[in-house]
Amino acid sequence: MAKVSGTAIVKSLFASLLNGESSFVPRIAISGVRHSHHKAHDLVEEHDRQHDVEEVRIPVPYGEIAGKWWGPRNVRPIVALHGWQDNAGTFDRLIPLLPKHMSFLALDLPGHGLSSRIPDGMTYHSLDNTFVLFHVMREYRWKKLSLMGHSMGSILCFLFAATFPAKVDLYIGIDALKPHIADADKFPGRLEKRLPQALLADARNREKSEPPSYPYEQLIERLHLGTNKSVTREAAPFLLHRNTRKSTLHPDQYYFTRDSRLKHSIGLGWDQAINLEFAKRIVLPYLFIKAKHSPYYEDKKYFNECVDVIKQHNPQFELEFVDSTHHLHLTEPEKVAPIINPFLEKHWKEERIQ
């Protein structure tokens, strides 16, 4: 293999960051780039400046919810929610490919990205995140929401749209349709394992000690491998930008800032019959995009049952499959945008705000 200079590697990486390209050659090169954090950080910020992205903060009782507002500020945005342990940066490569006259507000959910953590002594639960959407509506005095979500964020959108259908005018879900069904005989054992782990993580948080830190190129590799390679190395900086901080103990190393309690969060644990009742209530314009090379995280029959019920009750439901992996909207947005854009052009209605 020909030897590639560190400068050439960095330039190639940053070109792919700014241009939204999904290819980066050579793929192994990132591990050879030393001290590239600052440049990657600066390039992600330059990407935001090019697209006129505004950082916003929304007050909540325990701190604030951080977000990124894309597009016109006088148009009610589509609220975008990320997946488990990700952050608002997950939409950085997709939103620039969506209609420019529309607005998007990508949020960091509690404990993720730049948002506040929940109070000490508590653990994360899926239903709690519905409160975030109410806080957003209250802050901006919106009567309705337009929603887009990936993975955990898509499940949250499903729950909110089904529980409060009069408060949602359209919904785009990516790669997680609904709350997943756990094997009943395994669920008690899962709780037995996760609750003590969450208690330990909470205790570590209160010690205020710095988490383990790594060279930046190792952060990229850990994120890449930790997502079963669905976050590519070249896309990783968009998530790491809001999810890492420079170590005060080890020069040129960085650590993850997301709340470690998130690793041990508890799912809903209810059965399929409840999901199907929720599915009947989503009668608004609804697009769901599933990656062909991503797991279902449950028996596929539960996915199919839910899709059948939605189709029976919602003539505005659209289901599309994409030849990609779980983080398809981040790693291959050029495959996702052509599906979302016609849906938005058909169903999105401009609502002016002050």
Side-chain angles (χ1 to χ4, degrees):
M1 180 180 293
K3 188 175 181 180
V4 183
S5 72
T7 301
I9 292 166
V10 172
K11 286 182 177 179
S12 180
L13 168 61
F14 296 155
S16 70
L17 288 176
L18 288 179
N19 297 331
E21 298 170 357
S22 60
S23 61
F24 172 57
V25 181
R27 291 183 60 85
I28 62 168
I30 287 180
S31 62
V33 179
R34 296 301 303 266
H35 316 318
S36 62
H37 170 268
H38 291 301
K39 291 184 179 180
H41 186 94
D42 291 345
L43 265 292
V44 173
E45 291 193 347
E46 176 60 25
H47 178 269
D48 285 355
R49 284 191 292 271
Q50 287 185 5
H51 295 287
D52 191 26
V53 179
E54 178 184 350
E55 281 284 336
V56 300
R57 298 293 183 269
I58 300 161
V60 293
Y62 47 88
E64 59 186 15
I65 296 297
K68 302 178 68 172
W69 191 307
W70 303 70
R73 308 301 190 263
N74 62 344
V75 174
R76 178 168 63 82
I78 295 168
V79 175
L81 303 175
H82 60 79
W84 180 55
Q85 298 195 81
D86 292 342
N87 56 69
T90 195
F91 297 104
D92 279 7
R93 299 176 100 193
L94 173 63
I95 292 176
L97 304 181
L98 302 182
K100 298 296 188 290
H101 63 285
M102 300 182 188
S103 290
F104 299 86
L105 175 57
L107 300 177
D108 295 332
L109 290 169
H112 299 77
L114 304 179
S115 288
S116 299
R117 299 177 174 187
I118 62 172
D120 290 344
M122 301 179 66
T123 189
Y124 289 88
H125 191 277
S126 301
L127 283 179
D128 294 338
N129 282 328
T130 58
F131 283 22
V132 171
L133 295 176
F134 279 111
H135 290 311
V136 171
M137 295 178 74
R138 180 193 62 192
E139 174 69 12
Y140 294 111
R141 299 178 182 176
W142 297 334
K143 294 182 179 179
K144 286 196 173 186
L145 291 174
S146 307
L147 296 173
M148 178 168 65
H150 167 248
S151 195
M152 179 184 73
S154 178
I155 293 172
L156 174 57
C157 292
F158 174 92
L159 292 172
F160 194 89
T163 306
F164 307 103
K167 297 184 183 299
V168 180
D169 55 15
L170 64 84
Y171 160 33
I172 301 166
I174 302 173
D175 210 48
L177 181 71
K178 61 178 185 61
H180 299 127
I181 303 302
D183 293 335
D185 60 334
K186 295 179 181 177
F187 194 76
R190 180 185 299 174
L191 277 182
E192 181 183 25
K193 180 179 179 180
R194 286 198 173 185
L195 288 177
Q197 290 174 332
L199 283 169
L200 287 174
D202 177 60
R204 286 194 297 271
N205 281 349
R206 282 181 277 122
E207 291 173 358
K208 307 302 180 185
S209 58
E210 187 176 287
S213 59
Y214 313 90
Y216 188 69
E217 58 269 20
Q218 287 189 24
L219 291 182
I220 289 177
E221 199 67 13
R222 291 178 73 88
L223 180 58
H224 174 60
L225 298 178
T227 58
N228 294 317
K229 302 182 180 181
S230 75
V231 174
T232 58
R233 296 179 179 93
E234 56 269 23
F238 289 103
L239 291 176
L240 295 176
H241 181 262
R242 302 176 75 82
N243 219 15
T244 57
R245 188 173 299 158
K246 186 175 176 61
S247 171
T248 59
L249 304 176
H250 306 286
D252 299 317
Q253 292 195 15
Y254 307 85
Y255 60 87
F256 290 103
T257 55
R258 60 195 175 210
D259 193 337
S260 59
R261 287 175 289 177
L262 292 167
K263 297 178 184 177
H264 316 296
S265 56
I266 307 302
L268 292 167
W270 58 44
D271 64 23
Q272 178 73 342
I274 295 176
N275 281 333
L276 298 183
E277 290 302 317
F278 274 114
K280 294 175 184 177
R281 294 167 59 92
I282 305 181
V283 294
L284 46 92
Y286 179 12
L287 168 65
F288 186 77
I289 302 170
K290 182 77 182 83
K292 293 181 179 179
H293 307 296
S294 175
Y296 285 83
Y297 303 102
E298 61 180 351
D299 191 316
K300 187 180 176 182
K301 70 178 181 181
Y302 297 124
F303 175 92
N304 292 334
E305 287 174 359
C306 197
V307 166
D308 289 342
V309 169
I310 296 171
K311 286 181 176 179
Q312 290 170 16
H313 291 81
N314 188 352
Q316 300 183 95
F317 176 63
E318 299 178 28
L319 174 63
E320 298 285 348
F321 291 87
V322 174
D323 186 18
S324 191
T325 56
H326 183 55
H327 285 82
L328 63 165
H329 63 298
L330 173 63
T331 60
E332 298 185 287
E334 68 280 358
K335 293 183 178 180
V336 178
I339 298 172
I340 293 178
N341 287 338
F343 175 83
L344 289 177
E345 295 290 358
K346 181 179 180 180
H347 295 291
W348 180 82
K349 293 180 175 60
E350 181 179 295
E351 180 179 325
R352 294 279 174 167
I353 58 176
Q354 295 182 348

